[in-house]
């Protein structure tokens, strides 16, 4: 569980918070195997015996003062009694994880009702209203997925177009049974899928049926236009109106699989492969809204294209959750598919949303393998508690709030990369005390379930391995943190984490974009930097008036006296240049923007920072690094004189050989060199597979590389004065800060 704060010393009161101009909050990656410093938790058992505060329900931890029969809560200061069982436990404190470390992970007992055959279930739903190229890519991805699935897993193959196809691969040859999807939006299927094929025939054990599943995949073919027209029996004056009943197929699948939830499985994952917008049956989407010319009407197209056009998929996500299903959507298309409506099905059911604009260089097979190879937790509950002086004001991330309890979030499925963010505010005007030794406390509790394969149970010495079956393990992970207090603005500025500040800003501007449009998101970000610059200059007493009145005032826009704040202007500039906040008329596809919003709002701070402002390093040769970091400008390339540059933009990795590089340098770099080792390490550590490309300057088209050299590019489109490059952007911030100070 990695926890990072925007400032490691908290502001002492409301006035101090406002004066700093900084967001105040934390990011949390609850299922990360280690904390932000690389330390693992102390593991233990009997999590249900951990004492809890009678007042605030916080868990006993190393910061609590303990007497023989009582303990004082480190968050709210309440004195709590200890049971005789706890007293005897704590008579040997070194035997209890909660007395050894403030970061613990304890096993919880599984209730009898939860004792089940917890086999992992995976279902692929493949769009046949597609192309040969699309299906070839999906086949490769599913073959990669089969290699990643653990022993004992069950796999089902379904298809959808104008009909739903269910495959039985447990016999000598694959059998497919179909049911037609009614054309109208409220049309229900003529029969339940359970009546089309029993679920036991549909879900095949991967161990014994892997080759047969592969054979079934080979039989997948796109539906022809003739098939769709005659199958759906629908046309308007002889013109066929569509044939991708995605919404109906998903609804039917969830009801079908959900019948065995809590019996055969504890979590089923559905992989939905989509090649375009759903256009028949329930949940059909009208893609004509993308073709409307908003620019000519001076309307903000992003305000029209970013909200969902139907609540169907949001409601369907709730059905998925109740059926124990988590949905991952893989959209492979360059056409408008309205991911703004579809995204809820994945992010609200605990899944991911992937977008690939082309089948040629798609990393879909690698992403599938990577996603299924890493451990994940499910049925998770996340709860953040604070000491009494401050409280949570907003939470951000892919979870859904508990309908009954405040500040409790439910996460359906969570891997080690998934990150959530919280904003803080003071609970009253008095803030933290200047005179007592009591410091701000934060406690994060994360209850989760994992499926443990039979071999791991055997290794753990469990006696239940007589039948080779998966079992559920329920665990409680708790992290208690103590923060310092900044008694002056300079103390706060000295302990800023700019990557976490960026994370909170990204969450805020995404929210503003969705609610009020992208222009509003851009203005929010610009104004925030202006206010921060003004507050910093005021706090550091840097505002000196010259003889020419206000025109002589010097503003330090580069934060030259505070190294911790120095990255922020570049990060804000880069974020304004990012497709997340570029305007529709600049050619940003609305589906790509939605994909970036979903990706960015789940990334941990370092990854997000890399995605917003890529890292450019140079090499003297493939085996020798020259400089670890350059600014993203052509000037940096020229002045460094290095022959090889490596750009890491999180989703893309580019190796660029300058046109003046020595022709004897091997291109592309050999597999056993330092540069390749660096690239391979980065690829291993990512949550998605970055696309790797090699460009030889002077010979290949270098546009893909040059597009990332943003510091000489225009930040235009914001409604602010037309400015060129980062230097001019700083001048504009300087002018806006002067206006603000007036």
């Amino acid at each position: 569980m990695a926890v990072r704060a925007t400032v490691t010393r908290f502001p002492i009161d409301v006035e101090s918070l406002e004066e700093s101009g900084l967001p105040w909050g934390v990011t949390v990656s609850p299922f990360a195997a280690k904390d932000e410093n690389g330390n693992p938790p102390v593991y233990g058992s009997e999590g249900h015996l951990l004492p809890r505060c009678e007042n605030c329900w916080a868990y006993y931890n190393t910061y609590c003062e303990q007497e023989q029969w009582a303990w004082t809560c480190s968050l709210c200061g309440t004195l709590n009694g200890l049971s005789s069982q706890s007293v005897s436990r704590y008579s040997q404190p070194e035997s209890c994880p909660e007395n050894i470390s403030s970061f613990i992970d304890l096993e919880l007992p599984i209730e009898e009702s939860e004792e089940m055959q917890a086999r992992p279930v995976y279902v692929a739903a493949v769009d046949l209203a597609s192309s040969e190229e699309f299906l070839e890519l999906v086949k490769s991805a599913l073959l990669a997925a089969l290699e990643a699935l653990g022993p004992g897993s069950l796999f089902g193959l379904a298809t959808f177009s104008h009909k739903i196809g269910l495959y039985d691969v447990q016999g000598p040859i694959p059998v497919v049974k179909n049911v037609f999807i009614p054309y109208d939006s409220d049309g229900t299927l003529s029969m339940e899928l359970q009546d089309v094929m029993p679920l036991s025939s549909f879900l095949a054990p991967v161990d014994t049926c892997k080759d047969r599943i592969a054979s079934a995949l080979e039989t997948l073919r796109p539906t022809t236009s003739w098939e769709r027209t005659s199958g759906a029996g629908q046309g308007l004056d002889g013109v066929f109106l569509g044939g991708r009943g995605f919404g109906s197929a998903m609804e039917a699948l969830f009801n079908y699989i959900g019948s065995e939830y809590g019996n055969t499985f504890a979590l089923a994952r559905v992989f939905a492969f989509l090649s375009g917008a759903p256009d028949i049956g329930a949940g059909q989407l009208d893609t004509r809204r993308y073709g409307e010319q908003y620019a000519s009407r001076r309307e903000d197209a992003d305000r029209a294209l970013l909200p969902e056009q139907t609540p169907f998929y949001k409601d369907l996500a709730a059905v998925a959750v109740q059926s124990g299903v988590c949905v991952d959507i893989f959209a492979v298309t360059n056409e408008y598919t309205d991911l703004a409506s579809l995204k809820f099905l994945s992010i609200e059911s605990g899944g991911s949303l992937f977008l690939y604009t082309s089948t040629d260089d798609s990393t879909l097979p690698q992403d599938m393998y990577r996603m299924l190879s890493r451990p994940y937790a499910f049925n998770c509950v996340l709860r953040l508690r604070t000491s009494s002086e401050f409280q949570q004001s907003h939470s951000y991330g892919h979870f859904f709030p508990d309908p009954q309890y405040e500040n409790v979030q439910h996460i359906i499925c969570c891997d080690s990369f998934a990150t959530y963010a919280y904003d803080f505010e003071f609970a009253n005007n008095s803030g933290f005390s200047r005179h007592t030794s009591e410091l701000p406390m934060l406690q994060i509790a994360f209850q989760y379930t994992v499926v443990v394969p039979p071999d791991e149970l055997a290794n753990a010495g469990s006696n239940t391995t007589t039948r080779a079956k998966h079992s559920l393990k329920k665990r409680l992970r708790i992290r208690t943190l103590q923060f310092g207090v900044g008694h002056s603005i300079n103390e706060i500025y000295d302990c800023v984490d700019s990557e976490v500040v960026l994370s909170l800003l990204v969450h805020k501007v995404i929210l503003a974009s969705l609610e009020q449009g992208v222009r509003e998101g851009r203005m929010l970000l610009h104004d925030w930097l202006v206010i921060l610059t003004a507050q910093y200059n005021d706090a550091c007493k840097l505002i000196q008036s010259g003889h020419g009145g206000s025109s002589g005032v010097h503003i330090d826009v580069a934060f030259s006296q505070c190294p911790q704040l120095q990255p922020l202007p570049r990060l804000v500039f880069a974020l304004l240049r990012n497709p997340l906040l570029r305007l529709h008329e600049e050619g940003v596809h609305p589906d790509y923007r939605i994909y970036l919003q979903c990706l960015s709002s789940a990334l941990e701070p370092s990854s997000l920072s890399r995605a917003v402002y890529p890292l450019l390093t140079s090499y003297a040769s493939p085996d020798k690094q020259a400089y670890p970091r350059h600014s993203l400008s052509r000037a940096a390339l020229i002045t460094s004189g290095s022959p090889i540059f490596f750009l890491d933009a999180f989703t893309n990795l580019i190796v660029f050989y300058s046109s003046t590089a020595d022709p004897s340098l091997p291109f592309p770099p050999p597999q056993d060199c330092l540069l390749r080792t660096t690239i391979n390490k980065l690829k291993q550590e990512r949550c998605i597979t970055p696309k790797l490309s090699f460009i030889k300057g002077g010979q290949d088209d270098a546009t893909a590389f040059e597009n990332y050299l943003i510091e000489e590019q225009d930040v235009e489109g914001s409604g602010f004065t037309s400015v060129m490059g980062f230097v001019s952007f700083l001048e504009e911030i300087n002018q806006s800060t002067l206006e603000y100070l007036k």
Side-chain angles (χ1 to χ4, degrees):
M1 184 187 285
V3 180
R4 290 173 62 179
T6 52
V7 282
T8 48
R9 283 176 177 270
F10 287 178
I12 197 158
D13 53 26
V14 178
E15 190 184 347
S16 174
L17 174 61
E18 286 172 358
E19 277 177 15
S20 74
L22 291 163
W24 177 29
V26 291
T27 60
V28 181
S29 310
F31 197 54
K34 295 178 176 174
D35 69 14
E36 63 283 0
N37 301 315
N39 304 312
V42 173
Y43 289 92
S45 57
E46 301 186 318
H48 61 299
L49 298 179
L50 193 61
R52 298 187 69 174
C53 175
E54 292 162 10
N55 177 42
C56 71
W57 291 98
Y59 291 90
Y60 174 88
N61 57 80
T62 49
Y63 294 100
C64 297
E65 288 177 14
Q66 190 203 328
E67 298 160 32
Q68 188 179 358
W69 294 97
W71 61 281
T72 305
C73 176
S74 58
L75 273 79
C76 71
T78 302
L79 185 69
N80 298 276
L82 279 172
S83 67
S84 52
Q85 192 178 12
S86 297
V87 170
S88 60
R89 253 173 75 104
Y90 296 150
S91 60
Q92 298 170 307
E94 62 286 342
S95 66
C96 305
E98 62 267 34
N99 279 327
I100 299 168
S101 171
S102 58
F103 181 20
I104 57 175
D105 193 304
L106 309 177
E107 198 168 329
L108 293 169
I110 291 271
E111 292 167 28
E112 272 184 43
S113 61
E114 298 173 301
E115 282 283 1
M116 63 170 103
Q117 189 151 344
R119 298 184 73 167
V121 168
Y122 303 93
V123 174
V126 183
D127 180 358
L128 294 187
S130 57
S131 64
E132 289 281 1
E133 294 79 11
F134 170 84
L135 289 179
E136 283 306 314
L137 178 65
V138 171
K139 287 173 195 175
S140 308
L142 288 173
L143 290 172
L146 289 174
E147 293 307 312
L149 297 183
S153 302
L154 297 174
F155 181 86
L157 176 62
T159 57
F160 61 90
S161 54
H162 60 284
K163 58 187 177 181
I164 299 170
L166 301 177
Y167 281 74
D168 178 353
V169 297
Q170 296 180 63
I173 55 164
V175 174
V176 59
K177 294 190 175 174
N178 297 301
V179 57
F180 285 100
I181 296 171
Y183 188 85
D184 50 335
S185 58
D186 57 350
T188 48
L189 301 185
S190 55
M191 62 194 299
E192 295 284 326
L193 296 188
Q194 187 66 39
D195 300 329
V196 178
M197 182 182 289
L199 195 59
S200 55
S201 304
F202 175 68
L203 294 177
V206 174
D207 308 357
T208 53
C209 297
K210 193 180 283 187
D211 294 343
R212 290 174 191 166
I213 296 168
S215 304
L217 291 174
E218 284 308 315
T219 66
L220 297 182
R221 295 282 177 276
T223 53
T224 61
S225 53
W226 176 84
E227 255 188 294
R228 290 185 230 169
T229 314
S230 59
Q234 291 291 336
L236 186 66
D237 299 332
V239 179
F240 177 66
L241 297 173
R244 189 180 291 109
F246 176 67
S248 296
M250 288 293 111
E251 193 169 28
L253 265 178
F254 299 161
N255 292 330
Y256 180 41
I257 304 166
S259 62
E260 278 297 300
Y261 175 42
N263 186 16
T264 302
F265 70 90
L267 177 79
R269 294 187 73 163
V270 170
F271 309 127
F273 299 96
L274 200 57
S275 71
D279 52 13
I280 64 166
Q284 54 187 277
L285 298 171
D286 181 2
T287 54
R288 286 173 303 184
R289 69 176 185 164
Y290 180 53
E292 294 187 17
Q293 292 302 311
Y294 297 98
S296 61
R297 302 206 303 262
R298 289 301 297 152
E299 282 181 41
D300 186 351
D302 305 301
R303 290 185 78 160
L305 294 167
L306 291 180
E308 71 272 26
Q309 58 173 291
T310 166
F312 177 82
Y313 291 97
K314 208 171 199 168
D315 298 342
L316 192 55
V319 175
V321 169
Q322 282 157 8
S323 307
V325 175
C326 156
V327 188
D328 296 291
I329 294 178
F330 301 89
V332 186
T333 175
N334 57 2
E335 293 172 8
Y336 177 59
T337 308
D338 193 13
L339 294 184
S341 298
L342 293 168
K343 69 176 181 185
F344 296 104
L345 184 53
S346 59
I347 60 175
E348 295 209 352
S349 69
S352 304
L353 175 71
F354 294 83
L355 174 66
Y356 308 92
T357 50
S358 149
T359 53
D360 299 337
D361 52 0
S362 166
T363 55
L364 172 59
Q366 297 92 321
D367 283 338
M368 281 291 300
Y369 184 83
R370 182 164 300 205
M371 184 174 82
L372 293 172
S373 301
R374 55 180 180 250
Y376 60 88
F378 57 94
N379 292 352
C380 316
V381 182
L382 184 62
R383 174 74 158 94
L384 181 138
R385 290 182 174 86
T386 61
S387 47
S388 50
E389 305 88 352
F390 69 112
Q391 62 197 20
Q392 172 189 324
S393 63
H394 286 99
S395 51
Y396 310 92
H398 299 168
F399 47 60
F400 65 94
D402 188 279
Q404 191 177 355
Y405 298 103
E406 218 181 353
N407 301 337
V408 175
Q409 280 92 27
H410 292 264
I411 303 162
I412 307 306
C413 188
C414 179
D415 67 17
S416 55
F417 292 101
T419 301
Y420 309 90
Y422 297 90
D423 254 345
F424 296 141
E425 63 185 8
F426 281 99
N428 51 50
N429 289 332
S430 49
F432 301 111
S433 169
R434 291 175 184 271
H435 310 296
T436 67
S437 58
E438 287 173 15
L439 291 168
M441 299 293 302
L442 189 62
Q443 187 177 78
I444 298 145
F446 179 61
Q447 184 180 303
Y448 65 98
T449 308
V450 285
V451 172
V452 184
D455 53 343
E456 282 189 31
L457 286 171
N459 297 343
S462 169
N463 54 10
T464 57
T465 53
T466 44
R467 289 171 298 150
K469 70 168 196 175
H470 288 68
S471 78
L472 293 183
K473 273 219 162 65
K474 211 177 198 179
R475 305 193 67 92
L476 176 63
R477 185 173 286 190
I478 299 169
R479 180 97 192 270
T480 311
L481 299 104
Q482 191 175 60
F483 290 90
V485 171
H487 291 275
S488 69
I489 293 298
N490 289 345
E491 272 188 27
I492 296 171
Y493 284 158
D494 285 343
C495 61
V496 170
D497 185 332
S498 59
E499 291 182 343
V500 187
V501 170
L502 176 71
S503 278
L504 265 83
L505 288 176
V506 166
H507 280 294
K508 288 171 189 287
V509 297
I510 287 174
L511 212 59
S513 302
L514 288 170
E515 289 173 0
Q516 296 160 295
V518 173
R519 285 175 206 279
E520 191 60 38
R522 290 179 68 88
M523 288 172 70
L524 178 84
L525 189 62
H526 175 274
D527 293 351
W528 173 81
L529 183 59
V530 168
I531 293 166
L532 176 70
T533 307
Q535 302 293 61
Y536 158 80
N537 277 269
D538 189 37
C540 298
K541 304 287 182 278
L542 295 171
I543 301 168
Q544 298 152 357
S545 181
H547 296 296
S550 67
S551 60
V553 172
H554 169 72
I555 299 286
D556 176 9
V557 287
F559 301 101
S560 54
Q561 293 191 15
C562 181
Q564 283 74 17
L565 294 176
Q566 283 167 16
L568 288 171
R570 267 196 169 84
L571 290 172
V572 169
F573 173 76
L575 188 50
L576 288 167
R577 295 276 321 138
N578 192 283
L580 268 177
L581 287 179
R582 297 271 291 282
L583 295 166
H584 180 69
E585 51 261 39
E586 291 183 65
V588 179
H589 197 290
D591 283 342
Y592 183 57
R593 195 193 305 277
I594 291 287
Y595 161 69
L596 282 182
Q597 287 181 352
C598 293
L599 177 67
S600 304
S601 51
L603 289 179
E604 55 84 33
S606 300
S607 300
L608 183 58
S609 175
R610 189 64 40 94
V612 169
Y613 192 92
L615 177 67
L616 182 64
T617 48
S618 60
Y619 285 76
S621 74
D623 260 320
K624 187 181 179 200
Q625 192 185 71
Y627 295 101
R629 182 182 282 274
H630 296 275
S631 62
L632 298 176
S633 64
R634 285 184 178 79
L637 266 64
I638 297 161
T639 53
S640 85
S642 300
I644 303 171
F645 293 89
F646 173 52
L647 183 119
D648 175 8
F650 190 73
T651 51
N652 287 303
L653 304 175
I654 301 175
V655 176
F656 177 77
Y657 277 55
S658 115
S659 54
T660 56
D662 185 340
S664 66
L665 286 171
F667 178 88
Q671 287 295 346
D672 56 351
C673 68
L674 171 69
L675 179 51
R676 281 281 193 171
T677 310
T678 306
I679 290 169
N680 292 337
K681 185 170 183 288
L682 285 172
K683 286 170 87 171
Q684 283 311 112
E685 292 168 351
R686 293 276 142 99
C687 57
I688 57 168
T689 313
K691 204 152 62 179
L692 175 63
S693 36
F694 301 95
I695 299 174
K696 204 165 192 176
Q699 288 182 26
D700 305 330
D701 179 9
T703 313
F705 176 69
E706 288 167 356
N707 284 346
Y708 283 109
L709 304 177
I710 57 173
E711 295 208 2
E712 288 128 341
Q713 289 174 23
D714 191 350
V715 79
E716 179 37 20
S718 58
F720 307 119
T721 50
S722 177
V723 289
M724 283 296 291
F726 180 59
V727 174
S728 306
F729 170 72
L730 289 183
E731 285 171 14
E732 198 278 328
I733 293 295
N734 185 34
Q735 284 305 312
S736 298
T737 306
L738 286 172
E739 289 295 315
Y740 175 77
L741 287 167
K742 277 183 191 173

